[in-house]
Amino acid sequence: MDTLSVIIITFNEEKHIGKCLDSIILVADEIVIVDSFSNDATMDICNKYSTKIIQNKFRDFSSQRNFAMSLATKSHLLFIDADEVLSEELAASITALKEEGFEKEVYTLNRLTSFCGKWIKHGMWYPDKIQRLIKHGVANWTGEVHEKLFFINPPSKGFIKGHLLHYSYDSVAQLVEKLEKYTSIQSMQMFKEKKQATWIKIYINPIWAFFRGYFLKLGFLDGWQGIIIQYSIAFQTKRKYIKLKKETDY
């Protein structure tokens, strides 16, 4: 039977962290929490559980995840955000794999996101297949935002049934605030990589992003939430390139 460290990075997550921890208790042999000096009740809630908690200044998501990974001691690692919860099916699937022994080096999970009280099952947000369970030592995280796993060698891959339930935004205002923050980080990262903001990327790519998500991927079936989500994707696409153009024009 393999062992599993569940890794969580937190900052002011009092609203969701309890649900998150409740969902992983039965699958985790170790829970590692790296907190960016929360000033709400996050730490009080975490201290009610059997966890290893370290506070560390936040630089970017990859650095924080990699630091947390260095603290883990088990053979396999599951990365989960504080606003995510394992569905019963996903928890059962992970438990079964642990008992059999993880045969693959990386496993993909399917994330299902809630937006303004509705589970989004179409468009660009679903299916949201993400790599979150890995063998310890085969990869590191890279990227300042929308971070990804970078593997030392090509890994063997598997898929785990069930949903990772993501409680994202309760309001449109929260989404807009996060997009402004993310597009600033993305534009700076693209600037460092010497990418260019062409008129096609500024004007055509956002239109295509909306059309693809809303019509081709059936985002309209998610009601008004679907419209907002697909528009936000188009907005994010345009906004990051506008910010990049401002940087390159200086």
Side-chain angles (χ1 to χ4, degrees):
M1 181 174 177
D2 286 322
T3 55
L4 185 67
S5 295
V6 179
I7 294 174
I8 310 170
I9 60 175
T10 60
F11 177 70
N12 289 351
E13 295 287 355
E14 63 181 9
K15 184 174 182 179
H16 298 296
I17 189 63
K19 295 195 299 278
C20 174
L21 291 169
D22 285 340
S23 76
I24 64 175
I25 287 176
L26 295 181
V27 305
D29 299 295
E30 172 184 64
I31 300 173
V32 178
I33 297 174
V34 174
D35 180 73
S36 306
F37 297 95
S38 292
N39 52 33
D40 65 356
T42 299
M43 289 295 91
D44 292 334
I45 297 170
C46 291
N47 283 323
K48 296 177 181 178
Y49 297 80
S50 179
T51 59
K52 178 191 295 185
I53 303 173
I54 302 293
Q55 290 191 303
N56 187 59
K57 184 178 179 180
F58 184 87
R59 284 175 41 214
D60 57 61
F61 289 101
S62 290
S63 298
Q64 200 77 332
R65 286 192 193 274
N66 287 331
F67 175 71
M69 182 164 53
S70 71
L71 304 173
T73 63
K74 305 306 179 183
S75 64
H76 289 74
L77 312 174
L78 172 64
F79 296 89
I80 182 170
D81 291 339
D83 60 356
E84 295 172 341
V85 171
L86 302 185
S87 69
E88 291 184 5
E89 182 183 13
L90 181 56
S93 297
I94 292 173
T95 299
L97 281 172
K98 274 182 60 181
E99 292 175 351
E100 297 168 3
F102 294 108
E103 295 183 354
K104 307 298 182 181
E105 293 175 308
V106 58
Y107 288 88
T108 298
L109 314 176
N110 199 0
R111 182 165 60 177
L112 178 63
T113 297
S114 173
F115 174 65
C116 293
K118 183 181 181 66
W119 293 108
I120 304 302
K121 298 182 179 180
H122 307 90
M124 301 297 286
W125 279 15
Y126 189 86
D128 184 15
K129 299 186 183 299
I130 51 177
Q131 294 178 329
R132 287 291 189 83
L133 199 158
I134 65 171
K135 183 178 180 180
H136 204 334
V138 301
N140 288 304
W141 290 92
T142 183
E144 295 181 13
V145 65
H146 299 312
E147 63 279 13
K148 296 181 179 180
L149 285 164
F150 175 78
F151 292 89
I152 300 169
N153 296 300
S156 54
K157 300 177 181 180
F159 179 78
I160 305 179
K161 293 181 179 180
H163 283 105
L164 183 62
L165 304 175
H166 180 210
Y167 294 87
S168 63
Y169 308 102
D170 295 324
S171 69
V172 176
Q174 286 181 345
L175 175 60
V176 172
E177 181 182 359
K178 186 62 70 70
L179 287 178
E180 273 299 316
K181 178 180 177 181
Y182 279 2
T183 52
S184 295
I185 297 173
Q186 287 175 315
S187 64
M188 288 304 300
Q189 187 169 329
M190 291 189 294
F191 179 72
K192 292 176 184 178
E193 296 170 357
K194 298 183 178 180
K195 293 185 178 180
Q196 297 298 313
T198 65
W199 69 270
I200 291 178
K201 291 177 180 178
I202 294 175
Y203 296 106
I204 303 301
N205 285 15
I207 295 172
W208 168 245
F210 181 87
F211 181 83
R212 183 184 176 210
Y214 193 67
F215 294 104
L216 300 186
K217 295 182 72 65
L218 308 180
F220 61 87
L221 294 177
D222 288 316
W224 68 265
Q225 289 94 336
I227 296 176
I228 296 298
I229 289 169
Q230 304 316 315
Y231 178 79
S232 74
I233 293 170
F235 172 82
Q236 180 178 7
T237 303
K238 185 172 185 176
R239 191 80 175 127
K240 68 183 180 183
Y241 282 114
I242 288 176
K243 290 181 179 181
L244 174 61
K245 184 169 177 56
K246 288 181 179 179
E247 293 291 335
T248 55
D249 284 347
Y250 285 145

